[in-house]
C-alpha cells in the first residue's frame, strides 16, 4: 500500500525506512540515535528536531521536504504555500485564455533555457525553473504511461539529490537507461545498507 497524501511525519519516516529496506534498529544506528527514538518518531509520540530529521532523510536517501511534508492538505495551508512560492521564487498566478496559470517572473523560454551554473545557483527563481524542467518531463512520461505510479512516486522522493537511485531501479526493472531528465543533477552518495547485509529495495505505490 502506498503513502497517503495526508500521512503523518511518523508514517512518512516508516514508509521511507521500509522502502530503503532498513529496520528501526539499523536506521537508528545510521542516525546515531536510539532505536526507541526511531520507534517513537514513527508512532508519533515524539518529533525529531530539525537536524535529526535532516539526518534521517539523508540516510534514507530521500529529499528532506518529501519526509518533512508540507501542510497543504487544507485550503489555508495550500494558499500560504503559494504565497511563499511567490515571495521566494517569483512564481505568480496569471490568466491565459480564461484559465489560471502560474508563471515565473523573469521566466526563460524552455527551448532557450541553458543550465548556466552561476545563473541558476545565483537565483532561487532560476534554480526552481531549472528543477521544474525535470518535473515536466517526469510528469509527461507518467501521463504517457512510460512511468508507472510506483516509478513516479519514487522519482518524486529522489529528485534531484538521489536521482541515481531512480536510474538504478529503472535499470534493474529492465527500463531504458538512456533516459535523462532535463534539470536533474544527481549527487552521488552512499546508499543505506544494513551493517550486516543489503536488502532488495521495496518499491511502493505513491498515493
Amino acid at each position: 500500500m502506498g503513502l497517503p497524501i495526508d500521512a503523518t511525519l511518523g508514517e512518512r519516516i516508516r514508509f521511507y525506512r521500509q522502502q530503503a529496506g532498513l529496520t528501526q534498529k539499523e536506521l537508528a544506528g545510521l542516525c546515531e540515535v536510539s532505536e526507541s527514538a526511531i520507534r517513537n518518531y514513527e508512532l508519533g509520540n515524539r518529533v525529531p528536531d530539525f537536524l535529526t530529521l535532516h539526518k534521517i532523510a539523508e540516510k534514507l536517501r530521500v529529499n528532506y521536504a518529501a519526509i518533512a511534508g508540507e501542510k497543504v492538505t487544507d485550503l489555508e495551508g495550500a494558499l500560504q504555500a503559494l504565497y511563499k512560492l511567490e515571495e521566494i521564487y517569483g512564481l505568480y498566478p496569471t490568466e491565459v485564455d480564461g484559465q489560471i496559470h502560474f508563471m515565473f517572473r523573469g521566466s526563460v523560454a524552455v527551448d532557450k533555457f541553458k543550465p548556466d551554473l552561476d545563473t541558476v545557483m545565483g537565483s532561487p527563481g532560476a534554480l526552481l525553473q531549472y528543477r521544474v524542467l525535470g518535473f515536466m518531463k517526469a510528469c509527461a512520461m507518467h501521463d504517457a504511461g512510460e512511468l508507472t505510479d510506483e516509478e513516479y512516486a519514487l522519482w518524486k522522493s529522489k529528485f534531484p539529490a538521489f536521482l541515481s537511485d531512480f536510474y538504478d531501479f529503472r535499470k534493474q526493472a529492465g527500463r531504458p537507461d538512456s533516459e535523462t531528465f532535463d534539470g536533474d543533477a544527481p549527487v552521488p552518495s552512499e546508499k543505506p545498507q544494513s551493517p550486516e547485509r543489503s536488502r532488495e529495495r521495496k518499491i511502493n505505490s505513491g498515493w
Side-chain angles (χ1 to χ4, degrees), residues 37-154:
I38 297 296
R39 181 165 52 252
N40 279 297
Y41 296 155
E42 293 187 359
L43 290 173
N45 297 330
R46 292 173 56 188
V47 176
D49 60 41
F50 178 78
L51 292 178
T52 301
L53 189 56
H54 259 282
K55 180 169 282 190
I56 290 172
E58 177 188 352
K59 298 306 179 182
L60 295 179
R61 291 179 62 81
V62 298
N63 295 312
Y64 173 80
I67 202 167
E70 290 291 340
K71 304 215 180 282
V72 294
T73 52
D74 59 81
L75 180 60
E76 289 77 10
L79 285 170
Q80 288 298 321
L82 290 175
Y83 300 156
K84 290 179 182 178
L85 287 171
E86 190 275 331
E87 292 170 5
I88 299 170
Y89 300 104
L91 189 67
Y92 70 99
T94 186
E95 182 182 335
V96 178
D97 296 330
Q99 294 184 326
I100 296 174
H101 292 250
F102 280 84
M103 297 183 64
F104 289 96
R105 289 191 173 87
S107 61
V108 181
V110 172
D111 60 348
K112 296 180 180 178
F113 197 97
K114 303 299 181 184
D116 177 85
L117 186 61
D118 292 334
T119 300
V120 170
M121 297 306 293
S123 166
L127 180 57
L128 183 58
Q129 287 182 67
Y130 182 47
R131 295 305 189 208
V132 167
L133 291 175
F135 181 25
M136 288 171 58
K137 184 169 184 178
C139 187
M141 290 178 67
H142 179 244
D143 288 346
E146 297 173 28
L147 286 180
T148 66
D149 291 345
E150 292 82 359
E151 289 173 321
Y152 190 43
L154 179 66

